[in-house]
């Protein structure tokens, strides 16, 4: 936003006084804390010389003040700063690894302080994950003399609602934790992380939380950004907030116990990043897709990503995702490449619950959009076919009979409504490159749909 734009007062009937006139003054103040009191100092003015430099803290926040004929208006500009860590680790649940307890703390002196008192942790785990890893988590906390509570919950797309959030909040409240030093820990797939994130954002207005993703999809996607949420009124993630965790701890060994279909599901979101912005990642998926599925991302080499397709794939997926998310954590900019595959898929996924997994619905959406790209002439036939072939090699669905043109139109209308009156479509313009278009006609969509259905639909040969 250009400087000063916030301070522009809309024209008042009868005309406004020119800027700077005695009746229409505007000023901007910075906020300065001297000892314990915040005071304002007009931006262009020098600080009083009586203030000692080491007693003064200058905030990044500013207050604008405008005096008009109708009164005074103030505008607060307060940048909100978020800092969170995304940390790869191995053997997270081995008691010798202190990441789960202190990985979020940067200052070693602070860790020493924490260790002087008994630590408490409230842990929410997906019920299946708890069955497999619960005893390890217990042993971990017991080894560190931590007072803990594990809340095991069925976290599925069907239970992803405010009910689960309220249930978590009630239990957190009963457990009673020190909001500043005892983060809530979520261990599970994207549903668990999303619901706990929302609960944490509500408890005492924002309680720090930690994400430990246990599915591939949550490892590369749901755990690295700021968003959380639950479904509401049969709409996907309709309630939620932008509250990042204080840390995400990534341990790929959890992924070894998820079914093969869930690996494909996660590969759908990884392919999204590859198609949007990284040809190298696309080529890895093309070449090593089967290995990634077979090995469930359990590589032998955990440090050298040049040597290991699994490590390289997850690192590139996270790096490309962070590049797109970090400058736009609150999604103020509506032109987001990461929304690729999320235009039609929300309606498709919710309509077909529980038949389609999130990454599968995303992939069907991306397969259709690949045909749109080709229809417009943004990608060649060879590129289109390579993309579809790659999807099929990753064992992802590329078509669904319930994804009718009517559903596509309904989903597009919904996105249009929530995107500032513009249909913003991310479309491939090559392998690993994309742009956002807002002028794709319905006729183009229909032609793409017909070709998509003919090539990949159930009656295709
Ligand atoms: N916040 C975000 O930015 C973001 C991004 C992408 C997706 N999401 C959300 O993530 C959700 C999908 O996440 P998901 O694909 O992880 O699904 P999920 O959370 O439903 O987990 C899938 C299933 O895997 C089981 N499971 C999890 N970890 C396991 C393990 N290690 N071993 C065995 N079983 C395990 C769970 O019991 C669950 O039944 C969607 O609701 C989507 O909206 C959020």
């Amino acid at each position: 936003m250009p400087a000063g734009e916030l301070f522009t007062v809309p024209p008042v009937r009868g005309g406004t006084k020119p800027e700077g006139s005695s009746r229409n003054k505007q000023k901007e103040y910075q906020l300065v804390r001297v000892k314990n009191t915040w005071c304002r100092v007009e931006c262009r003015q020098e600080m009083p010389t009586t203030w000692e430099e080491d007693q003064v803290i200058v905030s990044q926040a500013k207050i604008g003040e405008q005096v008009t004929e109708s009164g005074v208006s103030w505008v607060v500009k307060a940048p909100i700063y978020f800092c969170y860590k995304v940390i790869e680790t191995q053997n997270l649940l081995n008691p010798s690894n202190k990441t789960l307890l202190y990985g979020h703390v940067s200052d070693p002196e602070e860790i020493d302080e924490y260790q002087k008192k008994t630590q408490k942790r409230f842990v929410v785990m997906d019920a299946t994950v708890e069955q497999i890893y619960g005893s390890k988590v217990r042993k971990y906390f017991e080894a560190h003399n931590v007072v803990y509570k594990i809340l095991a919950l069925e976290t599925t797309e069907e239970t992803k609602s405010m009910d689960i959030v309220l249930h978590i909040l009630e239990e957190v409240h009963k457990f009673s934790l020190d909001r500043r030093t005892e983060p809530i820990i979520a261990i599970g797939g994207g549903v668990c992380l999303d619901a706990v994130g929302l609960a944490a954002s509500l408890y005492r207005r924002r309680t720090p939380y930690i994400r430990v993703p246990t599915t591939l999809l949550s490892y590369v996607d749901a755990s690295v950004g700021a968003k959380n949420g639950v479904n509401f009124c049969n709409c996907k993630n309709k309630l939620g907030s932008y509250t990042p965790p204080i840390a995400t701890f990534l341990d790929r060994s959890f992924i070894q116990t998820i079914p093969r279909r869930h690996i494909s599901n996660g590969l759908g979101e990884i392919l999204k990043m590859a198609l949007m912005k990284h040809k190298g990642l696309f080529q890895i998926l093309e070449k090593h897709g089967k290995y990634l599925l077979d090995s469930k991302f359990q590589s032998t080499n955990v440090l050298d990503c040049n040597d290991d397709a699994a490590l390289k794939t997850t690192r590139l997926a996270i790096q490309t995702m962070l590049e797109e998310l970090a400058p736009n954590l609150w999604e103020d900019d509506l032109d987001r490449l990461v929304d690729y595959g999320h235009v039609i898929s929300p309606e498709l996924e919710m309509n077909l619950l529980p038949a389609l997994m999130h990454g599968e619905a995303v992939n069907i959406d991306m397969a259709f959009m690949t045909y749109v790209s080709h229809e417009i002439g943004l990608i060649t036939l060879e590129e289109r076919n390579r993309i579809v072939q790659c999807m099929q090699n990753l064992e992802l669905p590329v078509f669904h009979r319930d994804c009718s043109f009517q559903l596509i139109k309904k989903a597009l209308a919904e996105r249009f409504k929530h995107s500032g009156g513009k249909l913003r479509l991310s479309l491939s313009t090559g392998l690993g490159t994309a742009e956002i278009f807002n002028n794709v006609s319905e006729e183009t969509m229909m032609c793409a749909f017909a070709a998509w259905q003919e090539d990949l639909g159930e009656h295709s040969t």
Side-chain angles (χ1 to χ4, degrees), residues 126 128-129 132-133 155-157 160 188-192 194 211 214-215 217-218 221-222 227-228 236-237 254-255 257-259 262 265 269 349 357-358:
D126 169 88
T128 309
V129 175
I132 306 172
Y133 300 99
T155 53
T156 63
E157 210 55 57
K160 192 182 183 189
V191 173
C192 177
D194 271 4
R211 290 176 179 153
T214 59
T215 61
L217 185 134
S218 57
D221 194 339
K227 286 199 278 190
N228 54 54
K236 191 138 175 67
N237 297 328
F254 286 112
I255 298 171
T257 52
I258 62 172
H262 293 220
N265 182 46
E269 291 280 11
E349 188 181 348
M357 298 186 72
H358 181 72

Side-chain angles (χ1 to χ4, degrees), residues 230-419:
V230 293
N231 303 330
F232 179 66
C233 289
N234 204 35
C235 295
K236 191 138 175 67
N237 297 328
K238 206 63 169 186
L239 301 181
S241 75
Y242 296 105
T243 313
I246 38 167
T248 287
F249 303 138
L250 303 171
D251 181 345
R252 273 186 294 140
S253 69
F254 286 112
I255 298 171
Q256 64 190 301
T257 52
I258 62 172
R260 188 177 176 93
R261 183 179 167 197
H262 293 220
I263 304 282
S264 290
N265 182 46
L267 281 164
E269 291 280 11
I270 297 175
L271 180 62
K272 171 184 84 177
M273 298 317 294
L275 292 176
M276 288 294 94
K277 55 181 291 178
H278 207 293
K279 187 171 182 181
L281 181 55
F282 177 76
Q283 286 165 330
I284 295 174
L285 296 178
E286 251 190 335
K287 195 168 163 203
H288 301 288
K290 185 171 174 340
Y291 162 75
L292 295 172
L293 275 161
D294 292 344
S295 67
K296 295 195 170 176
F297 281 76
Q298 302 308 301
S299 45
T300 41
N301 190 337
V302 289
L303 293 177
D304 183 5
C305 70
N306 291 322
D307 212 25
D308 186 274
L311 189 55
K312 203 166 184 173
T313 301
T314 50
R315 278 200 188 152
L316 281 176
I318 290 169
Q319 176 203 309
T320 48
M321 191 74 83
L322 286 175
E323 280 167 8
E324 293 297 314
L325 298 181
N328 194 19
L329 269 192
W330 283 16
E331 301 192 324
D332 294 318
D333 181 359
L334 297 173
D335 288 335
R336 296 183 297 256
L337 291 184
V338 287
D339 285 349
Y340 189 55
H342 293 69
V343 176
I344 302 158
S345 65
E347 274 71 9
L348 189 61
E349 188 181 348
M350 291 308 284
N351 278 4
L352 296 181
L353 266 183
L356 277 181
M357 298 186 72
H358 181 72
E360 293 174 340
V362 166
N363 198 69
I364 291 167
D365 181 323
M366 296 197 298
F368 170 65
M369 290 301 169
T370 301
Y371 271 74
V372 175
S373 279
H374 178 248
E375 186 64 36
I376 299 174
L378 301 171
I379 56 172
T380 63
L381 183 65
E382 193 228 332
E383 286 169 333
R384 187 195 78 183
N385 292 344
R386 258 177 86 177
I387 293 171
V388 172
Q389 188 61 54
C390 180
M391 290 169 167
Q392 288 170 327
N393 290 348
L394 300 177
E395 300 176 10
L396 283 159
V398 290
F399 184 86
H400 197 287
R401 65 163 184 256
D402 289 7
C403 190
S404 61
F405 195 63
Q406 201 184 6
L407 181 140
I408 292 174
K409 270 177 66 175
K410 186 172 161 242
L412 291 174
E414 187 67 16
R415 300 297 91 77
F416 182 82
K417 206 164 68 188
H418 296 290
S419 319

